[in-house]
Amino acid sequence: LKEENAILRSKINKLQSLSETQADKMRKLEKKLEENKIKEEKEAQDLEAMVQHVEQNLQLMTKRAVKAENSAAKLRQENALLQAELRNSKLETEALRAGQAGLATAKQNAEVALQHLLQVTTSSRASIRQLLSGAESLQLVADLLKSIDRISEVSEDGQ
C-alpha cells in the first residue's frame, strides 16, 4: 500500500508539474494575445488616421481642381472675347486699308489685341496644365484609397 501511495504521489507530483507548466503556457499565451490586441488596435488607429489624412488631402485637391476648372473657364471666356476683339480689329484694319486712312492706328490696335490674345493663351495653357496636375493628384489619391481598402480586406481575411 505504501508503494502504491508513493506511485500515486509521484503521479500527482508529475500532474501538478504538468499543470503548472500548462498554466505558465496559458499565461504566456494570454499575455501574447493581449499584446496582439493592443498592437491591432494601434494599427487600426494608425490606419484610421491615415484614411482621414488622405480624405483631407482629397478634399483639398478637389477644391484646387474646382478652382482650376473655374479659372480655365474664365480664361476661355476672356480668350473668346479677345478673339472677337481681334476679329473686329482685323475687320477694322481691312476697312482702314480700303480707305487708306488710319492704317497705323488699326495696326496698333490689332497688335495690342494680338498681345492680349497671346497672354490669355499662355495663361490658359498654364491653367489647363494645373488642372491636369490636379486631376492626376486626384487619381493618385483614388488609387491610394483603393490600396487601403485592399489592405483592410487582406488584414480581415488574415485574422
Side-chain angles (χ1 to χ4, degrees):
L1 189 61
K2 286 183 179 181
E3 194 177 301
E4 191 176 318
N5 278 345
I7 291 173
L8 288 175
R9 280 193 187 120
S10 173
K11 285 183 180 182
I12 288 173
N13 287 338
K14 286 180 184 179
L15 287 174
Q16 284 177 339
S17 175
L18 180 62
S19 176
E20 288 174 10
T21 304
Q22 287 179 344
D24 284 344
K25 284 183 183 179
M26 181 77 147
R27 283 189 292 275
K28 288 178 184 178
L29 288 173
E30 286 173 347
K31 183 180 177 184
K32 191 172 185 177
L33 178 63
E34 187 62 32
E35 288 172 355
N36 284 343
K37 282 182 183 178
I38 292 170
K39 182 179 176 183
E40 285 180 10
E41 287 174 7
K42 184 183 181 321
E43 287 175 355
Q45 290 172 353
D46 291 346
L47 186 59
E48 181 63 30
M50 185 173 63
V51 167
Q52 288 177 355
H53 182 70
V54 168
E55 287 174 350
Q56 289 171 351
N57 285 342
L58 182 60
Q59 290 173 351
L60 181 63
M61 284 186 235
T62 301
K63 286 179 184 177
R64 286 182 186 167
V66 168
K67 186 178 177 181
E69 286 175 3
N70 291 339
S71 178
K74 183 179 176 183
L75 290 172
R76 281 189 210 105
Q77 279 183 325
E78 190 175 338
N79 191 4
L81 290 173
L82 288 173
Q83 285 180 350
E85 186 180 324
L86 180 61
R87 282 191 297 274
N88 290 338
S89 295
K90 285 182 180 180
L91 291 174
E92 186 180 321
T93 301
E94 289 176 12
L96 290 174
R97 280 185 186 159
Q100 295 289 325
L103 179 61
T105 303
K107 214 175 195 183
Q108 186 178 7
N109 287 343
E111 185 63 33
V112 169
L114 178 61
Q115 292 304 317
H116 284 292
L117 180 62
L118 291 173
Q119 288 173 353
V120 169
T121 301
T122 302
S123 178
S124 295
R125 286 184 181 145
S127 292
I128 289 170
R129 281 190 212 107
Q130 184 182 10
L131 179 60
L132 289 174
S133 175
E136 290 172 357
S137 296
L138 286 173
Q139 182 62 45
L140 179 62
V141 170
D143 292 343
L144 179 60
L145 286 173
K146 285 180 187 176
S147 296
I148 290 171
D149 286 343
R150 285 192 217 116
I151 290 171
S152 295
E153 289 173 9
V154 168
S155 177
E156 289 173 6
D157 291 343
Q159 292 177 4

